[in-house]
């Protein structure tokens, strides 16, 4: 059956103390609402309806997608009022599922189980038991344990406040039931809000029954209202990822200091030291070792690669088996390191193909360059790839040796096996097997006395 998923995201998020709409704050590098959308999309035959309010324009732009039906709630008059704005977009004969843009970790399995409970006579409600239920709507049951309604904290009697089963807000019901009951919701309560939760009692009066279900983990239904709550959920998320990686054969020096803000897949016997950050799509082969404080984005890293401390990789980057990087190296987009290549400290590479076994061990910039196999780049070598307007290429053949502190003024080709003397500024191609030295000749003056001041001091 078709599922219409209404995601409420109109709240101000005042307690975030932010100019950014709350649902655009990032969890694991992705907007809160983005997590909900991704999970919602896993339900077959789902239509996504998102209700926005304050900052709606910004939200739409950030998460622009042709398959989202956006609805505006200009005034935030309550969750019931928010769903009412979405009602015209709801199909007939569908199951309607209500989610929240600031409850990012709801699991697909929970949603599927909830939707499966719904039929012509039954709605389904996700609840949790909390030792401290303060602030939540309480689930009110009758003597036969059937749910009869939800009462909000601010409207509850002392007896009701003692109830520890609370409303998560997530519910599923038939579109007919929604159409019949929603317009009947009023705002005669302590907050003068249209409470979606009143739909439970109304549906009961119409003869519907209410099934309840609990999520696998309490964090699934945790909302984000403050930055502290966001940080706590982020850590929960990272811990869960860390546990999955360790189960799959990855060693993490400290799962409390592991951050993946994208997709990380890893082979066996990978070792990851503390404070590493993975972004975008990162693939690690078997036996990869990553030192502390690495930041790695969009990289495909082969077997046995060693990334030493403090490296920054800003892909797309490909590193072949057995290569070594760092410490303190920065590999930028379009870097391809061949098998067994070495890039050492304070080296920056960009659009650079470095052939197998080649070495750039210290203090260099290699950009828009193609290096063959077994090339040795001396310390302080710079490819001068930019003339202020255009970028030009440097090509270095197999086995060439570039002396320290060389400037290679591109476009330039250094042939295979050629040698460039240290301190050279190379502006012309160097032919295969030759030696090029392009620097001022040394002059030595014997017994040189340094100039003295005129006043003799
Ligand atoms: C709501 C539930 C409460 C439940 C709690 C779980 C109601 C009346 N109460 O309370 O039973 O225990 O969630 O967290 O539903 N929103 C809109 N438009 C509005 C009002 C709210 O889009 O006019 C959105 C908010 O952005 C937020 C969500 O709905 O994401 C919940 O609203 P909020 O006011 O925080 O509800 P609670 O008072 O926490
Ligand atoms: Ca409220």
């Amino acid at each position: 059956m078709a599922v219409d998923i209404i995601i409420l995201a109109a709240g101000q998020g005042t307690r975030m103390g932010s100019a950014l709409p709350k649902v655009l704050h990032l969890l694991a590098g992705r907007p809160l609402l983005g997590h909900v959308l991704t999970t919602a999309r896993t339900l077959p035959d789902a239509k996504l309806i998102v209700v926005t309010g304050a900052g709606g324009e910004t939200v739409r732009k950030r998460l622009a997608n042709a398959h989202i039906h956006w609805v505006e709630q200009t005034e935030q008059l309550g969750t019931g009022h928010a769903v009412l704005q979405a009602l015209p977009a709801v199909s007939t004969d569908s199951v309607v599922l209500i989610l929240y843009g600031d409850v990012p970790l709801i699991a697909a399995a929970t949603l599927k189980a909830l939707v499966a409970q719904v039929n012509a006579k039954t709605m389904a409600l996700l609840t949790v038991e909390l030792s401290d239920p303060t602030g939540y709507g309480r689930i009110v049951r009758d003597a036969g344990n059937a749910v009869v309604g939800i009462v909000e904290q601010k409207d509850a009697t002392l007896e009701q406040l003692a109830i520890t089963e609370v409303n998560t807000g997530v519910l599923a019901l038939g579109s007919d039931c929604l159409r019949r009951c929603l317009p009947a919701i009023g705002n005669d309560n302590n907050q003068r809000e249209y409470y979606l939760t009143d739909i439970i009692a109304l549906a009961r009066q119409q003869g519907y029954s209410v099934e309840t279900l609990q999520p696998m983990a309490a964090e699934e239904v945790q909302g984000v209202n403050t930055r502290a709550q966001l940080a706590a959920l982020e850590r929960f998320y990272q811990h869960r990822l860390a546990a999955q990686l360790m189960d799959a054969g990855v060693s993490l020096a400290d799962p409390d200091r592991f951050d993946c803000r994208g997709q990380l897949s890893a082979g066996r016997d990978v070792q990851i030291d503390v404070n590493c950050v993975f972004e975008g799509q990162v693939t690690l082969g078997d036996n990869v070792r990553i030192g502390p404080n690495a930041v790695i984005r969009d990289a495909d890293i082969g077997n046995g690669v060693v990334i030493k401390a403090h490296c920054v990789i800003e892909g797309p980057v490909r590193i072949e088996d057995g290569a070594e990087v760092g410490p303190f190296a920065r590999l930028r987009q379009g870097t391809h390191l061949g098998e067994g290549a070495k890039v050492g400290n304070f080296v920056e590479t960009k659009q650079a193909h470095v052939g197998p076994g080649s070495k750039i061990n210290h203090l260099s910039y290699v950009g828009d360059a193609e290096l063959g196999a077994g090339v040795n780049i001396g310390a302080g070598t710079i490819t001068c790839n930019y003339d202020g307007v255009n970028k030009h290429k440097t090509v270095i053949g197999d086995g060439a040796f570039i002396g320290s502190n060389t400037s290679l003024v591109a476009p330039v080709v250094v042939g295979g096996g050629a040698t460039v003397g240290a301190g050279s500024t190379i502006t012309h191609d160097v032919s295969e097997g030759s030696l090029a030295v392009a620097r001022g000749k040394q002059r030595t003056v014997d017994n040189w006395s340094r100039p003295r001041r005129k006043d003799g001091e």
Side-chain angles (χ1 to χ4, degrees):
M1 186 180 261
V3 184
D4 291 332
I5 304 181
I6 302 176
I7 304 173
L8 303 192
Q12 295 274 2
T14 321
R15 283 192 282 159
M16 295 297 281
S18 175
L20 190 70
K22 176 165 73 173
V23 294
L24 292 187
H25 280 258
L26 302 181
L27 184 138
R30 206 163 3 127
L32 296 175
L33 179 55
H35 285 269
V36 183
L37 290 168
T38 303
T39 307
R41 281 194 189 101
T42 65
L43 272 78
D45 208 1
K47 174 179 181 183
L48 303 183
I49 306 163
V50 181
V51 182
T52 59
E57 190 69 18
T58 318
V59 175
R60 281 164 216 228
K61 265 203 198 121
R62 177 70 171 80
L63 294 164
N65 183 305
H67 301 295
I68 299 175
H69 192 103
W70 299 97
V71 173
E72 177 116 12
Q73 185 195 22
T74 41
E75 263 187 299
Q76 277 72 70
L77 301 179
T79 48
H81 180 261
V83 175
L84 193 63
Q85 310 313 300
L87 197 58
V90 169
S91 340
T92 45
D93 280 337
S94 63
V95 171
V96 180
L97 175 63
I98 311 289
L99 301 179
Y100 300 85
D102 58 359
V103 183
L105 299 185
I106 187 76
T110 302
L111 299 183
K112 282 170 188 158
L114 204 67
V115 166
Q117 295 284 330
V118 177
N119 61 42
K121 285 273 129 224
T122 314
M123 61 185 293
L125 185 63
L126 195 65
T127 71
V128 274
E129 282 285 341
L130 293 182
S131 50
D132 177 12
T134 310
Y136 290 88
R138 311 296 206 277
I139 307 296
V140 183
R141 291 175 184 271
D142 65 15
N145 209 35
V147 175
V148 291
I150 299 176
V151 58
E152 292 303 298
Q153 165 94 19
K154 287 183 177 151
D155 304 290
T157 63
L158 274 178
E159 198 184 336
Q160 288 167 334
L161 286 174
I163 298 171
T164 52
E165 186 188 9
V166 304
N167 175 31
T168 64
V170 175
L171 61 97
L173 74 179
S175 57
D176 287 350
C177 178
L178 184 70
R179 264 205 195 82
R180 266 213 250 166
C181 303
L182 192 64
I185 293 177
N187 67 347
D188 183 16
N189 54 56
N190 273 328
Q191 301 190 80
R192 294 268 147 231
E193 276 182 19
Y194 295 86
Y195 292 161
L196 175 63
T197 45
D198 285 353
I199 204 164
I200 307 295
L202 288 165
R204 278 275 301 186
Q205 286 158 27
Q206 301 274 338
Y208 293 93
S209 65
V210 182
E211 286 288 339
T212 58
L213 224 85
Q214 281 73 44
M216 297 276 280
E219 285 83 359
E220 275 187 50
V221 292
Q222 221 141 73
V224 172
N225 293 307
T226 64
R227 291 181 194 254
Q229 287 172 341
L230 178 56
L233 266 196
E234 171 84 31
R235 212 29 51 200
F236 167 79
Y237 180 92
Q238 297 298 346
H239 268 144
R240 200 173 57 180
L241 271 186
Q244 284 165 5
L245 280 168
M246 291 188 289
D247 284 346
V250 173
S251 287
L252 297 178
D254 183 357
D256 287 341
R257 287 179 287 171
F258 165 81
D259 287 85
C260 176
R261 300 169 191 157
Q263 259 77 48
L264 172 64
S265 75
R268 284 174 57 169
D269 296 309
V270 166
Q271 294 176 32
I272 299 174
D273 214 321
V274 299
N275 295 332
C276 292
V277 178
F278 298 90
E279 298 173 337
Q281 300 277 343
V282 177
T283 308
L284 309 176
D286 293 336
N287 300 303
V288 170
R289 277 190 287 142
I290 300 177
N293 303 320
V295 179
I296 302 179
R297 183 172 74 222
D298 294 322
D300 188 2
I301 297 176
N303 298 325
V305 168
V306 178
I307 313 269
K308 294 176 184 167
H310 307 289
C311 287
V312 177
I313 297 178
E314 302 159 340
V317 160
R318 160 96 193 131
I319 305 176
E320 304 289 349
D321 296 357
E324 271 186 45
V325 180
F328 296 102
R330 180 180 181 205
L331 307 186
R332 293 169 56 202
Q333 84 276 1
T335 295
H336 179 178
L337 301 188
E339 207 171 316
K342 283 190 181 165
V343 168
N345 43 254
F346 308 110
V347 172
E348 175 181 345
T349 63
K350 190 214 72 179
Q351 300 291 359
H353 283 246
V354 178
S358 290
K359 293 175 185 166
I360 315 171
N361 277 336
H362 338 261
L363 301 158
S364 292
Y365 172 63
V366 176
D368 300 301
E370 200 147 317
L371 278 56
V375 170
N376 197 314
I377 303 282
T381 295
I382 305 293
T383 52
C384 309
N385 58 330
Y386 187 51
D387 60 13
V389 184
N390 297 303
K391 298 280 173 80
H392 301 284
K393 202 162 172 183
T394 300
V395 178
I396 303 175
D398 295 348
F401 182 99
I402 312 294
S404 293
N405 206 31
T406 292
S407 302
L408 298 159
V409 182
V412 72
V413 177
V414 176
T419 304
V420 172
S424 292
T425 298
I426 298 297
T427 52
H428 300 293
D429 290 356
V430 179
S431 56
E432 221 171 277
S434 63
L435 166 69
V437 185
R439 64 186 179 219
K441 270 223 165 90
Q442 180 168 333
R443 197 160 63 97
T444 307
V445 178
D446 291 333
N447 300 318
W448 171 256
S449 39
R450 265 171 261 150
R452 289 187 199 159
R453 281 179 194 251
K454 277 194 185 130
D455 58 13
E457 275 174 26

